[in-house]
Amino acid sequence: MTPLFQGKIDNFCAAYAVLNALRLIHGISDFQARSLFSALLLRQSRDEKMFRAILEHTTDYQELVDDFFRQAGEYFPLRVKAPFGEDTGCDEVWEALRDYACPERGRSAVFRFRRYEAFRVRPCADHWTTGHKMEGNELLLFDCSLEPEGLYRLTRPLLKDDVDERMTEYVIIPPSCVRLIERGTSEGGACGGSLKWQY
């Protein structure tokens, strides 16, 4: 028997993905992360139907992610792109994730993935994560999960465009759930955050 760890039974990986992106590109502290997270939960809880969907994992969390980036943009200069439609192929998504896996240039990506085991058509994981950096041909994830069997690196061959009974494990990244994040320039003082969306 092992103890529960924080995050094991909640559904806030999407919020943690945003916080981890902010940590990579703005170096936010634990205190700043806690303040942002608390404000997000308070705001989201005002809409009981939406908050229940978050708690019960009956949403794709896209609205939560976008709302959180809008909130963070009040304090940290950010440029956020949501460049892909549902029909975008995984080759194009992969190239964008590779390009934005560059925290030293103030870039990262937040995205959702569904992980499938061999011969299964139901995902074994539905998770939001943060792209960190490229190591050879692997995209390392800056992930909130502590699961020993969690997915912490992606390769292009692992990505597929559709669900099928394949002989090996695979991952689908819904293109519309990809957010490409870049550190913006401060306008208006030390806390003069500016969020610029591009669709």
Side-chain angles (χ1 to χ4, degrees):
M1 183 181 300
T2 57
L4 292 169
F5 56 81
Q6 193 168 9
K8 176 69 176 174
I9 58 171
D10 66 45
N11 292 314
F12 291 111
C13 58
Y16 276 87
V18 172
L19 292 171
N20 283 331
L22 293 172
R23 178 158 277 185
L24 283 175
I25 66 174
H26 276 295
I28 66 169
S29 67
D30 292 354
F31 176 77
Q32 289 170 313
R34 185 181 312 116
S35 295
L36 288 167
F37 186 68
S38 297
L40 174 76
L41 293 186
L42 283 171
R43 193 169 57 258
Q44 293 289 322
S45 68
R46 292 183 185 119
D47 181 340
E48 183 179 345
K49 183 178 177 184
M50 177 56 88
F51 197 56
R52 188 172 294 282
I54 291 167
L55 295 176
E56 296 174 353
H57 195 18
T58 56
T59 175
D60 61 9
Y61 297 90
Q62 213 165 294
E63 269 187 57
L64 175 80
V65 167
D66 291 344
D67 182 48
F68 207 2
F69 274 124
R70 279 189 287 276
Q71 174 194 336
E74 296 174 13
Y75 304 99
F76 303 99
L78 296 169
R79 282 193 294 272
V80 181
K81 295 180 189 176
F84 303 126
E86 285 299 331
D87 296 331
T88 306
C90 56
D91 283 334
E92 192 175 343
V93 170
W94 174 252
E95 287 308 312
L97 294 178
R98 281 174 47 91
D99 187 39
Y100 272 77
C102 199
E104 63 274 10
R105 286 175 36 213
R107 300 177 103 178
S108 184
V110 168
F111 59 96
R112 175 185 177 204
F113 69 78
R114 292 192 299 261
R115 184 180 184 186
Y116 295 81
E117 296 174 334
F119 303 108
R120 300 292 174 108
V121 293
R122 294 194 58 175
C124 61
D126 186 352
H127 184 61
W128 282 81
T129 191
T130 309
H132 187 190
K133 61 184 176 182
M134 291 302 296
E135 193 172 85
N137 291 321
E138 295 184 320
L139 171 62
L140 303 186
L141 305 179
F142 199 61
D143 196 82
C144 66
S145 174
L146 296 175
E147 299 277 0
E149 67 280 359
L151 186 63
Y152 302 104
R153 48 186 66 222
L154 286 174
T155 60
R156 172 59 193 88
L158 199 57
L159 301 185
K160 303 298 179 196
D161 284 318
D162 59 347
V163 176
D164 200 357
E165 284 191 26
R166 294 184 166 89
M167 295 173 57
T168 59
E169 173 186 45
Y170 66 98
V171 170
I172 292 179
I173 297 173
S176 63
C177 291
V178 174
R179 297 295 178 265
L180 304 176
I181 299 88
E182 194 166 10
R183 184 173 50 235
T185 56
S186 186
E187 299 168 4
C191 288
S194 60
L195 175 64
K196 296 178 181 173
W197 279 93
Q198 292 180 356
Y199 288 96

